[in-house]
Amino acid sequence: GAVMDERIAWAALAISLFYTAGMYLNDAFDAEHDRAVRPERPIPRGLIPRRRVFVTGALLLGFGELMLVWPRASDYERLPLLAAALGLALAACILFYSWRHKRDPFSPVVMALCRALVYVITAAWLVDRLPGQVLAGAAALAIYVVALSQVAKYDVLPGRSIAMMIAGISILDAVMVLSSTGQWGLAGLTALGFPLTLALQRFTPGT
């Protein structure tokens, strides 16, 4: 119904803020490395101060968490505390990954956990619990992301196959949406991420 659609949109916006925060923080933490190997990036080129990127990333994390704490549209008396706690866990994982991903061999696992938390946070915010199919889907996504990271790291498959695997996350998302909501339209919309990702990779490799 309309209330559930509003909840889904709110959760999607909150997760998008976390995701965008991760991109900012990743660039900020990688600034020294980029100065040596990717000097064309915005921070090494001096187009934006590193401090500002850190602050922007931190604010985006904060706003994402605030949206998870905000009362849901149909229940203003109760705060979604489970979703808020999981949001803090996601923020911690984003910070750790952005800080350590170039030096920690377990960084693919942390990235996988970030992806899996998207599923569980959304479920927690919508229904205040973690259904079994959501946990199973989150585990499947985490395994997929770890496998993708290892395939990319060791060049097991040609480059186009890696691009297809990255885009394939959208298909996994669509299956998860369909199994948990039964909404074919929403699942189809999610699956559109597959061709869109492939199209965007023509301009930004690794998207």
Side-chain angles (χ1 to χ4, degrees):
V3 172
M4 182 58 72
D5 291 342
E6 182 178 330
R7 288 185 180 184
I8 291 172
W10 188 275
L13 180 56
I15 293 299
S16 296
L17 290 175
F18 280 100
Y19 187 89
T20 307
M23 292 192 291
Y24 272 84
L25 293 169
N26 192 69
D27 279 2
F29 278 110
D30 285 354
E32 293 300 325
H33 176 268
D34 288 344
R35 283 192 181 95
V37 300
R38 302 183 68 184
E40 74 280 2
R41 299 293 300 254
I43 297 177
R45 287 177 61 192
L47 297 179
I48 185 170
R50 186 184 187 187
R51 178 186 176 90
R52 185 181 301 172
V53 178
F54 270 124
V55 170
T56 302
L59 286 173
L60 288 169
L61 281 182
F63 283 127
E65 179 64 18
L66 182 62
M67 289 191 71
L68 294 178
V69 175
W70 200 270
R72 290 180 295 266
S74 64
D75 187 2
Y76 288 102
E77 286 75 36
R78 295 178 57 209
L79 291 174
L81 297 181
L82 177 59
L86 291 168
L88 290 176
L90 177 57
C93 287
I94 290 171
L95 285 168
F96 182 84
Y97 179 85
S98 299
W99 171 46
R100 294 284 301 177
H101 73 103
K102 291 191 179 299
R103 305 185 300 276
D104 195 319
F106 293 102
S107 59
V109 177
V110 181
M111 168 57 77
L113 184 57
C114 289
R115 293 280 188 174
L117 280 168
V118 170
Y119 283 1
V120 296
I121 287 172
T122 303
W125 203 87
L126 292 175
V127 297
D128 246 345
R129 57 190 178 85
L130 301 178
Q133 70 263 37
V134 171
L135 295 176
L141 178 61
I143 293 170
Y144 185 92
V145 171
V146 171
L148 170 59
S149 300
Q150 296 308 300
V151 167
K153 179 178 180 179
Y154 294 106
D155 267 340
V156 177
L157 297 173
R160 189 59 180 169
S161 298
I162 302 300
M164 295 285 285
M165 288 185 70
I166 293 173
I169 293 175
S170 296
I171 301 300
L172 194 59
D173 289 343
V175 171
M176 182 62 193
V177 168
L178 184 60
S179 66
S180 59
T181 69
Q183 297 186 26
W184 284 92
L186 186 58
L189 185 63
T190 305
L192 284 177
F194 182 81
L196 286 174
T197 300
L198 291 178
L200 288 171
Q201 285 174 349
R202 295 178 180 274
F203 306 99
T204 308
T207 302

mmCIF file of all heavy atoms in Angstrom, residues 52-100:
data_model
loop_
_atom_site.group_PDB
_atom_site.id
_atom_site.type_symbol
_atom_site.label_atom_id
_atom_site.label_comp_id
_atom_site.label_asym_id
_atom_site.label_seq_id
_atom_site.Cartn_x
_atom_site.Cartn_y
_atom_site.Cartn_z
ATOM 1 N N ARG A 52 37.333 18.738 3.619
ATOM 2 C CA ARG A 52 35.935 18.932 3.252
ATOM 3 C C ARG A 52 35.288 17.613 2.836
ATOM 4 O O ARG A 52 34.125 17.362 3.129
ATOM 5 C CB ARG A 52 35.821 19.944 2.120
ATOM 6 C CG ARG A 52 34.375 20.301 1.749
ATOM 7 C CD ARG A 52 34.314 21.286 0.607
ATOM 8 N NE ARG A 52 35.018 22.515 0.936
ATOM 9 C CZ ARG A 52 35.254 23.487 0.050
ATOM 10 N NH1 ARG A 52 34.858 23.341 -1.212
ATOM 11 N NH2 ARG A 52 35.903 24.588 0.421
ATOM 12 N N VAL A 53 36.056 16.775 2.163
ATOM 13 C CA VAL A 53 35.530 15.471 1.744
ATOM 14 C C VAL A 53 35.242 14.609 2.973
ATOM 15 O O VAL A 53 34.218 13.927 3.049
ATOM 16 C CB VAL A 53 36.513 14.770 0.790
ATOM 17 C CG1 VAL A 53 35.985 13.394 0.391
ATOM 18 C CG2 VAL A 53 36.729 15.616 -0.458
ATOM 19 N N PHE A 54 36.170 14.631 3.955
ATOM 20 C CA PHE A 54 35.935 13.899 5.203
ATOM 21 C C PHE A 54 34.660 14.389 5.891
ATOM 22 O O PHE A 54 33.824 13.585 6.342
ATOM 23 C CB PHE A 54 37.118 14.073 6.150
ATOM 24 C CG PHE A 54 38.195 13.039 6.013
ATOM 25 C CD1 PHE A 54 39.504 13.405 5.755
ATOM 26 C CD2 PHE A 54 37.914 11.682 6.171
ATOM 27 C CE1 PHE A 54 40.505 12.452 5.635
ATOM 28 C CE2 PHE A 54 38.908 10.729 6.062
ATOM 29 C CZ PHE A 54 40.205 11.112 5.795
ATOM 30 N N VAL A 55 34.516 15.708 6.009
ATOM 31 C CA VAL A 55 33.362 16.275 6.697
ATOM 32 C C VAL A 55 32.068 15.919 5.970
ATOM 33 O O VAL A 55 31.062 15.544 6.599
ATOM 34 C CB VAL A 55 33.508 17.807 6.826
ATOM 35 C CG1 VAL A 55 32.205 18.442 7.324
ATOM 36 C CG2 VAL A 55 34.654 18.160 7.763
ATOM 37 N N THR A 56 32.083 16.006 4.647
ATOM 38 C CA THR A 56 30.891 15.664 3.864
ATOM 39 C C THR A 56 30.509 14.206 4.065
ATOM 40 O O THR A 56 29.329 13.874 4.261
ATOM 41 C CB THR A 56 31.121 15.949 2.376
ATOM 42 O OG1 THR A 56 31.463 17.321 2.194
ATOM 43 C CG2 THR A 56 29.868 15.629 1.561
ATOM 44 N N GLY A 57 31.506 13.323 4.028
ATOM 45 C CA GLY A 57 31.235 11.899 4.246
ATOM 46 C C GLY A 57 30.648 11.642 5.623
ATOM 47 O O GLY A 57 29.699 10.860 5.768
ATOM 48 N N ALA A 58 31.213 12.294 6.637
ATOM 49 C CA ALA A 58 30.715 12.112 8.003
ATOM 50 C C ALA A 58 29.278 12.627 8.135
ATOM 51 O O ALA A 58 28.432 11.990 8.781
ATOM 52 C CB ALA A 58 31.627 12.838 8.981
ATOM 53 N N LEU A 59 28.982 13.769 7.513
ATOM 54 C CA LEU A 59 27.625 14.313 7.572
ATOM 55 C C LEU A 59 26.627 13.386 6.875
ATOM 56 O O LEU A 59 25.511 13.174 7.367
ATOM 57 C CB LEU A 59 27.588 15.697 6.924
ATOM 58 C CG LEU A 59 28.224 16.836 7.722
ATOM 59 C CD1 LEU A 59 28.260 18.113 6.893
ATOM 60 C CD2 LEU A 59 27.470 17.071 9.033
ATOM 61 N N LEU A 60 27.026 12.817 5.751
ATOM 62 C CA LEU A 60 26.141 11.898 5.045
ATOM 63 C C LEU A 60 25.856 10.658 5.884
ATOM 64 O O LEU A 60 24.720 10.166 5.924
ATOM 65 C CB LEU A 60 26.753 11.508 3.698
ATOM 66 C CG LEU A 60 26.755 12.605 2.633
ATOM 67 C CD1 LEU A 60 27.631 12.198 1.450
ATOM 68 C CD2 LEU A 60 25.335 12.897 2.166
ATOM 69 N N LEU A 61 26.884 10.143 6.566
ATOM 70 C CA LEU A 61 26.652 9.020 7.483
ATOM 71 C C LEU A 61 25.661 9.406 8.573
ATOM 72 O O LEU A 61 24.757 8.644 8.918
ATOM 73 C CB LEU A 61 27.969 8.574 8.123
ATOM 74 C CG LEU A 61 28.926 7.705 7.323
ATOM 75 C CD1 LEU A 61 30.130 7.339 8.174
ATOM 76 C CD2 LEU A 61 28.231 6.441 6.821
ATOM 77 N N GLY A 62 25.858 10.602 9.119
ATOM 78 C CA GLY A 62 24.976 11.067 10.193
ATOM 79 C C GLY A 62 23.540 11.223 9.737
ATOM 80 O O GLY A 62 22.602 10.810 10.431
ATOM 81 N N PHE A 63 23.345 11.798 8.553
ATOM 82 C CA PHE A 63 21.987 11.968 8.037
ATOM 83 C C PHE A 63 21.350 10.613 7.711
ATOM 84 O O PHE A 63 20.144 10.422 7.923
ATOM 85 C CB PHE A 63 22.000 12.852 6.788
ATOM 86 C CG PHE A 63 22.150 14.320 7.088
ATOM 87 C CD1 PHE A 63 23.136 15.067 6.475
ATOM 88 C CD2 PHE A 63 21.295 14.952 7.985
ATOM 89 C CE1 PHE A 63 23.290 16.421 6.754
ATOM 90 C CE2 PHE A 63 21.430 16.299 8.274
ATOM 91 C CZ PHE A 63 22.436 17.037 7.654
ATOM 92 N N GLY A 64 22.147 9.680 7.202
ATOM 93 C CA GLY A 64 21.620 8.347 6.936
ATOM 94 C C GLY A 64 21.138 7.678 8.210
ATOM 95 O O GLY A 64 20.048 7.092 8.256
ATOM 96 N N GLU A 65 21.945 7.790 9.259
ATOM 97 C CA GLU A 65 21.554 7.209 10.551
ATOM 98 C C GLU A 65 20.332 7.921 11.120
ATOM 99 O O GLU A 65 19.433 7.278 11.679
ATOM 100 C CB GLU A 65 22.730 7.299 11.525
ATOM 101 C CG GLU A 65 22.447 6.759 12.917
ATOM 102 C CD GLU A 65 22.162 5.263 12.939
ATOM 103 O OE1 GLU A 65 22.501 4.561 11.956
ATOM 104 O OE2 GLU A 65 21.591 4.783 13.932
ATOM 105 N N LEU A 66 20.272 9.234 10.970
ATOM 106 C CA LEU A 66 19.126 10.000 11.471
ATOM 107 C C LEU A 66 17.833 9.544 10.798
ATOM 108 O O LEU A 66 16.786 9.432 11.449
ATOM 109 C CB LEU A 66 19.345 11.486 11.229
ATOM 110 C CG LEU A 66 18.246 12.434 11.736
ATOM 111 C CD1 LEU A 66 18.098 12.328 13.255
ATOM 112 C CD2 LEU A 66 18.558 13.870 11.330
ATOM 113 N N MET A 67 17.912 9.245 9.516
ATOM 114 C CA MET A 67 16.718 8.784 8.811
ATOM 115 C C MET A 67 16.245 7.429 9.337
ATOM 116 O O MET A 67 15.053 7.133 9.332
ATOM 117 C CB MET A 67 16.990 8.700 7.308
ATOM 118 C CG MET A 67 17.130 10.060 6.646
ATOM 119 S SD MET A 67 17.138 9.943 4.840
ATOM 120 C CE MET A 67 15.411 9.501 4.537
ATOM 121 N N LEU A 68 17.192 6.603 9.787
ATOM 122 C CA LEU A 68 16.804 5.307 10.341
ATOM 123 C C LEU A 68 16.190 5.453 11.731
ATOM 124 O O LEU A 68 15.371 4.637 12.149
ATOM 125 C CB LEU A 68 18.018 4.380 10.404
ATOM 126 C CG LEU A 68 18.610 3.950 9.061
ATOM 127 C CD1 LEU A 68 19.833 3.071 9.283
ATOM 128 C CD2 LEU A 68 17.577 3.220 8.207
ATOM 129 N N VAL A 69 16.598 6.485 12.446
ATOM 130 C CA VAL A 69 16.049 6.718 13.785
ATOM 131 C C VAL A 69 14.667 7.366 13.703
ATOM 132 O O VAL A 69 13.826 7.176 14.575
ATOM 133 C CB VAL A 69 17.012 7.606 14.604
ATOM 134 C CG1 VAL A 69 16.407 7.968 15.954
ATOM 135 C CG2 VAL A 69 18.346 6.890 14.813
ATOM 136 N N TRP A 70 14.441 8.103 12.632
ATOM 137 C CA TRP A 70 13.182 8.830 12.476
ATOM 138 C C TRP A 70 11.994 7.865 12.532
ATOM 139 O O TRP A 70 12.024 6.806 11.935
ATOM 140 C CB TRP A 70 13.182 9.562 11.137
ATOM 141 C CG TRP A 70 12.198 10.678 11.072
ATOM 142 C CD1 TRP A 70 10.911 10.602 10.658
ATOM 143 C CD2 TRP A 70 12.434 12.035 11.423
ATOM 144 N NE1 TRP A 70 10.318 11.834 10.727
ATOM 145 C CE2 TRP A 70 11.220 12.737 11.190
ATOM 146 C CE3 TRP A 70 13.536 12.731 11.913
ATOM 147 C CZ2 TRP A 70 11.106 14.102 11.436
ATOM 148 C CZ3 TRP A 70 13.419 14.076 12.143
ATOM 149 C CH2 TRP A 70 12.215 14.752 11.913
ATOM 150 N N PRO A 71 10.933 8.252 13.246
ATOM 151 C CA PRO A 71 9.765 7.359 13.337
ATOM 152 C C PRO A 71 9.178 7.053 11.969
ATOM 153 O O PRO A 71 9.166 7.901 11.091
ATOM 154 C CB PRO A 71 8.772 8.159 14.190
ATOM 155 C CG PRO A 71 9.623 9.128 14.951
ATOM 156 C CD PRO A 71 10.775 9.458 14.055
ATOM 157 N N ARG A 72 8.701 5.844 11.800
ATOM 158 C CA ARG A 72 8.080 5.440 10.547
ATOM 159 C C ARG A 72 6.733 6.148 10.361
ATOM 160 O O ARG A 72 6.094 6.568 11.315
ATOM 161 C CB ARG A 72 7.899 3.922 10.510
ATOM 162 C CG ARG A 72 9.202 3.172 10.374
ATOM 163 C CD ARG A 72 8.951 1.683 10.343
ATOM 164 N NE ARG A 72 8.401 1.219 11.606
ATOM 165 C CZ ARG A 72 9.134 0.735 12.592
ATOM 166 N NH1 ARG A 72 10.435 0.652 12.460
ATOM 167 N NH2 ARG A 72 8.577 0.335 13.709
ATOM 168 N N ALA A 73 6.291 6.216 9.113
ATOM 169 C CA ALA A 73 5.105 7.010 8.767
ATOM 170 C C ALA A 73 3.857 6.546 9.504
ATOM 171 O O ALA A 73 3.010 7.350 9.869
ATOM 172 C CB ALA A 73 4.885 6.948 7.258
ATOM 173 N N SER A 74 3.732 5.247 9.763
ATOM 174 C CA SER A 74 2.495 4.741 10.361
ATOM 175 C C SER A 74 2.603 4.493 11.866
ATOM 176 O O SER A 74 1.671 4.007 12.472
ATOM 177 C CB SER A 74 2.104 3.418 9.681
ATOM 178 O OG SER A 74 3.094 2.443 9.929
ATOM 179 N N ASP A 75 3.739 4.828 12.456
ATOM 180 C CA ASP A 75 3.919 4.498 13.873
ATOM 181 C C ASP A 75 4.847 5.532 14.499
ATOM 182 O O ASP A 75 6.017 5.287 14.728
ATOM 183 C CB ASP A 75 4.506 3.091 14.015
ATOM 184 C CG ASP A 75 4.542 2.629 15.470
ATOM 185 O OD1 ASP A 75 4.084 3.391 16.336
ATOM 186 O OD2 ASP A 75 5.029 1.529 15.728
ATOM 187 N N TYR A 76 4.325 6.712 14.786
ATOM 188 C CA TYR A 76 5.147 7.797 15.284
ATOM 189 C C TYR A 76 5.532 7.638 16.750
ATOM 190 O O TYR A 76 6.354 8.373 17.263
ATOM 191 C CB TYR A 76 4.417 9.132 15.082
ATOM 192 C CG TYR A 76 4.366 9.559 13.649
ATOM 193 C CD1 TYR A 76 3.211 9.405 12.896
ATOM 194 C CD2 TYR A 76 5.486 10.107 13.029
ATOM 195 C CE1 TYR A 76 3.159 9.789 11.562
ATOM 196 C CE2 TYR A 76 5.449 10.504 11.700
ATOM 197 C CZ TYR A 76 4.287 10.340 10.973
ATOM 198 O OH TYR A 76 4.241 10.727 9.651
ATOM 199 N N GLU A 77 4.923 6.659 17.431
ATOM 200 C CA GLU A 77 5.226 6.491 18.844
ATOM 201 C C GLU A 77 6.461 5.618 19.092
ATOM 202 O O GLU A 77 6.999 5.599 20.183
ATOM 203 C CB GLU A 77 4.024 5.865 19.569
ATOM 204 C CG GLU A 77 2.849 6.807 19.781
ATOM 205 C CD GLU A 77 2.092 7.040 18.489
ATOM 206 O OE1 GLU A 77 1.985 6.089 17.701
ATOM 207 O OE2 GLU A 77 1.633 8.178 18.277
ATOM 208 N N ARG A 78 6.867 4.854 18.073
ATOM 209 C CA ARG A 78 7.968 3.907 18.270
ATOM 210 C C ARG A 78 9.123 4.217 17.338
ATOM 211 O O ARG A 78 8.927 4.488 16.159
ATOM 212 C CB ARG A 78 7.485 2.471 18.021
ATOM 213 C CG ARG A 78 6.453 1.982 19.005
ATOM 214 C CD ARG A 78 6.010 0.582 18.625
ATOM 215 N NE ARG A 78 7.151 -0.320 18.565
ATOM 216 C CZ ARG A 78 7.212 -1.389 17.780
ATOM 217 N NH1 ARG A 78 6.218 -1.665 16.963
ATOM 218 N NH2 ARG A 78 8.264 -2.175 17.813
ATOM 219 N N LEU A 79 10.309 4.169 17.856
ATOM 220 C CA LEU A 79 11.489 4.340 17.038
ATOM 221 C C LEU A 79 11.971 2.967 16.558
ATOM 222 O O LEU A 79 11.933 1.997 17.315
ATOM 223 C CB LEU A 79 12.607 5.012 17.838
ATOM 224 C CG LEU A 79 12.383 6.471 18.221
ATOM 225 C CD1 LEU A 79 13.514 6.930 19.135
ATOM 226 C CD2 LEU A 79 12.302 7.350 17.001
ATOM 227 N N PRO A 80 12.422 2.862 15.322
ATOM 228 C CA PRO A 80 12.933 1.593 14.793
ATOM 229 C C PRO A 80 14.347 1.334 15.311
ATOM 230 O O PRO A 80 15.338 1.509 14.603
ATOM 231 C CB PRO A 80 12.898 1.820 13.284
ATOM 232 C CG PRO A 80 13.053 3.291 13.117
ATOM 233 C CD PRO A 80 12.370 3.919 14.304
ATOM 234 N N LEU A 81 14.444 0.909 16.568
ATOM 235 C CA LEU A 81 15.746 0.807 17.230
ATOM 236 C C LEU A 81 16.631 -0.263 16.609
ATOM 237 O O LEU A 81 17.853 -0.111 16.550
ATOM 238 C CB LEU A 81 15.541 0.531 18.724
ATOM 239 C CG LEU A 81 14.806 1.636 19.497
ATOM 240 C CD1 LEU A 81 14.677 1.256 20.966
ATOM 241 C CD2 LEU A 81 15.550 2.965 19.352
ATOM 242 N N LEU A 82 16.031 -1.366 16.133
ATOM 243 C CA LEU A 82 16.833 -2.409 15.504
ATOM 244 C C LEU A 82 17.512 -1.870 14.253
ATOM 245 O O LEU A 82 18.716 -2.078 14.041
ATOM 246 C CB LEU A 82 15.950 -3.610 15.162
ATOM 247 C CG LEU A 82 16.642 -4.768 14.423
ATOM 248 C CD1 LEU A 82 17.802 -5.320 15.245
ATOM 249 C CD2 LEU A 82 15.630 -5.868 14.099
ATOM 250 N N ALA A 83 16.753 -1.167 13.423
ATOM 251 C CA ALA A 83 17.328 -0.584 12.213
ATOM 252 C C ALA A 83 18.405 0.446 12.554
ATOM 253 O O ALA A 83 19.439 0.525 11.891
ATOM 254 C CB ALA A 83 16.233 0.055 11.367
ATOM 255 N N ALA A 84 18.158 1.232 13.596
ATOM 256 C CA ALA A 84 19.138 2.242 14.004
ATOM 257 C C ALA A 84 20.443 1.596 14.462
ATOM 258 O O ALA A 84 21.538 2.062 14.128
ATOM 259 C CB ALA A 84 18.555 3.111 15.116
ATOM 260 N N ALA A 85 20.341 0.507 15.225
ATOM 261 C CA ALA A 85 21.543 -0.198 15.690
ATOM 262 C C ALA A 85 22.306 -0.797 14.516
ATOM 263 O O ALA A 85 23.549 -0.726 14.448
ATOM 264 C CB ALA A 85 21.151 -1.297 16.678
ATOM 265 N N LEU A 86 21.574 -1.370 13.572
ATOM 266 C CA LEU A 86 22.226 -1.931 12.387
ATOM 267 C C LEU A 86 22.837 -0.822 11.525
ATOM 268 O O LEU A 86 23.870 -1.025 10.882
ATOM 269 C CB LEU A 86 21.215 -2.739 11.578
ATOM 270 C CG LEU A 86 20.744 -4.039 12.239
ATOM 271 C CD1 LEU A 86 19.535 -4.605 11.504
ATOM 272 C CD2 LEU A 86 21.878 -5.065 12.272
ATOM 273 N N GLY A 87 22.205 0.345 11.526
ATOM 274 C CA GLY A 87 22.772 1.485 10.809
ATOM 275 C C GLY A 87 24.114 1.899 11.385
ATOM 276 O O GLY A 87 25.048 2.233 10.641
ATOM 277 N N LEU A 88 24.231 1.873 12.706
ATOM 278 C CA LEU A 88 25.519 2.174 13.339
ATOM 279 C C LEU A 88 26.569 1.142 12.942
ATOM 280 O O LEU A 88 27.739 1.475 12.713
ATOM 281 C CB LEU A 88 25.353 2.223 14.854
ATOM 282 C CG LEU A 88 24.552 3.399 15.415
ATOM 283 C CD1 LEU A 88 24.388 3.254 16.929
ATOM 284 C CD2 LEU A 88 25.233 4.732 15.085
ATOM 285 N N ALA A 89 26.138 -0.121 12.849
ATOM 286 C CA ALA A 89 27.064 -1.171 12.418
ATOM 287 C C ALA A 89 27.520 -0.927 10.979
ATOM 288 O O ALA A 89 28.702 -1.102 10.651
ATOM 289 C CB ALA A 89 26.390 -2.543 12.535
ATOM 290 N N LEU A 90 26.586 -0.504 10.117
ATOM 291 C CA LEU A 90 26.952 -0.204 8.733
ATOM 292 C C LEU A 90 27.919 0.967 8.666
ATOM 293 O O LEU A 90 28.902 0.937 7.914
ATOM 294 C CB LEU A 90 25.695 0.097 7.918
ATOM 295 C CG LEU A 90 25.913 0.512 6.458
ATOM 296 C CD1 LEU A 90 26.696 -0.549 5.698
ATOM 297 C CD2 LEU A 90 24.576 0.788 5.768
ATOM 298 N N ALA A 91 27.664 2.000 9.450
ATOM 299 C CA ALA A 91 28.566 3.155 9.470
ATOM 300 C C ALA A 91 29.969 2.739 9.907
ATOM 301 O O ALA A 91 30.969 3.186 9.326
ATOM 302 C CB ALA A 91 28.011 4.227 10.408
ATOM 303 N N ALA A 92 30.049 1.867 10.916
ATOM 304 C CA ALA A 92 31.351 1.390 11.390
ATOM 305 C C ALA A 92 32.067 0.595 10.301
ATOM 306 O O ALA A 92 33.282 0.754 10.094
ATOM 307 C CB ALA A 92 31.172 0.541 12.642
ATOM 308 N N CYS A 93 31.319 -0.248 9.587
ATOM 309 C CA CYS A 93 31.917 -1.046 8.510
ATOM 310 C C CYS A 93 32.402 -0.150 7.372
ATOM 311 O O CYS A 93 33.474 -0.380 6.803
ATOM 312 C CB CYS A 93 30.909 -2.058 7.979
ATOM 313 S SG CYS A 93 30.584 -3.446 9.086
ATOM 314 N N ILE A 94 31.621 0.878 7.037
ATOM 315 C CA ILE A 94 32.024 1.815 5.991
ATOM 316 C C ILE A 94 33.314 2.533 6.372
ATOM 317 O O ILE A 94 34.239 2.668 5.563
ATOM 318 C CB ILE A 94 30.891 2.819 5.711
ATOM 319 C CG1 ILE A 94 29.720 2.125 5.011
ATOM 320 C CG2 ILE A 94 31.391 3.997 4.876
ATOM 321 C CD1 ILE A 94 28.484 2.983 4.885
ATOM 322 N N LEU A 95 33.368 2.997 7.608
ATOM 323 C CA LEU A 95 34.571 3.691 8.073
ATOM 324 C C LEU A 95 35.783 2.769 8.058
ATOM 325 O O LEU A 95 36.869 3.152 7.592
ATOM 326 C CB LEU A 95 34.338 4.248 9.476
ATOM 327 C CG LEU A 95 33.466 5.498 9.568
ATOM 328 C CD1 LEU A 95 33.068 5.768 11.017
ATOM 329 C CD2 LEU A 95 34.199 6.701 8.991
ATOM 330 N N PHE A 96 35.606 1.554 8.552
ATOM 331 C CA PHE A 96 36.732 0.620 8.603
ATOM 332 C C PHE A 96 37.202 0.266 7.194
ATOM 333 O O PHE A 96 38.410 0.261 6.912
ATOM 334 C CB PHE A 96 36.341 -0.646 9.352
ATOM 335 C CG PHE A 96 37.476 -1.636 9.489
ATOM 336 C CD1 PHE A 96 38.395 -1.500 10.529
ATOM 337 C CD2 PHE A 96 37.637 -2.662 8.581
ATOM 338 C CE1 PHE A 96 39.459 -2.395 10.650
ATOM 339 C CE2 PHE A 96 38.696 -3.564 8.699
ATOM 340 C CZ PHE A 96 39.603 -3.424 9.735
ATOM 341 N N TYR A 97 36.260 -0.019 6.304
ATOM 342 C CA TYR A 97 36.638 -0.385 4.941
ATOM 343 C C TYR A 97 37.352 0.774 4.245
ATOM 344 O O TYR A 97 38.388 0.574 3.582
ATOM 345 C CB TYR A 97 35.400 -0.793 4.137
ATOM 346 C CG TYR A 97 35.734 -1.163 2.719
ATOM 347 C CD1 TYR A 97 36.154 -2.445 2.397
ATOM 348 C CD2 TYR A 97 35.642 -0.216 1.698
ATOM 349 C CE1 TYR A 97 36.487 -2.785 1.091
ATOM 350 C CE2 TYR A 97 35.971 -0.544 0.388
ATOM 351 C CZ TYR A 97 36.391 -1.825 0.092
ATOM 352 O OH TYR A 97 36.730 -2.147 -1.203
ATOM 353 N N SER A 98 36.813 1.976 4.372
ATOM 354 C CA SER A 98 37.428 3.136 3.721
ATOM 355 C C SER A 98 38.839 3.379 4.235
ATOM 356 O O SER A 98 39.737 3.770 3.471
ATOM 357 C CB SER A 98 36.567 4.384 3.962
ATOM 358 O OG SER A 98 35.272 4.212 3.425
ATOM 359 N N TRP A 99 39.050 3.132 5.513
ATOM 360 C CA TRP A 99 40.354 3.360 6.148
ATOM 361 C C TRP A 99 41.361 2.270 5.802
ATOM 362 O O TRP A 99 42.530 2.555 5.517
ATOM 363 C CB TRP A 99 40.153 3.440 7.667
ATOM 364 C CG TRP A 99 41.412 3.465 8.479
ATOM 365 C CD1 TRP A 99 42.525 4.226 8.259
ATOM 366 C CD2 TRP A 99 41.687 2.683 9.652
ATOM 367 N NE1 TRP A 99 43.481 3.980 9.225
ATOM 368 C CE2 TRP A 99 42.986 3.039 10.094
ATOM 369 C CE3 TRP A 99 40.960 1.745 10.367
ATOM 370 C CZ2 TRP A 99 43.567 2.461 11.219
ATOM 371 C CZ3 TRP A 99 41.532 1.181 11.494
ATOM 372 C CH2 TRP A 99 42.821 1.529 11.903
ATOM 373 N N ARG A 100 40.937 1.000 5.771
ATOM 374 C CA ARG A 100 41.874 -0.113 5.713
ATOM 375 C C ARG A 100 41.839 -0.936 4.428
ATOM 376 O O ARG A 100 42.626 -1.871 4.290
ATOM 377 C CB ARG A 100 41.586 -1.070 6.885
ATOM 378 C CG ARG A 100 41.853 -0.491 8.253
ATOM 379 C CD ARG A 100 43.323 -0.427 8.559
ATOM 380 N NE ARG A 100 43.954 -1.743 8.507
ATOM 381 C CZ ARG A 100 45.253 -1.963 8.690
ATOM 382 N NH1 ARG A 100 46.061 -0.948 8.917
ATOM 383 N NH2 ARG A 100 45.749 -3.181 8.627
#
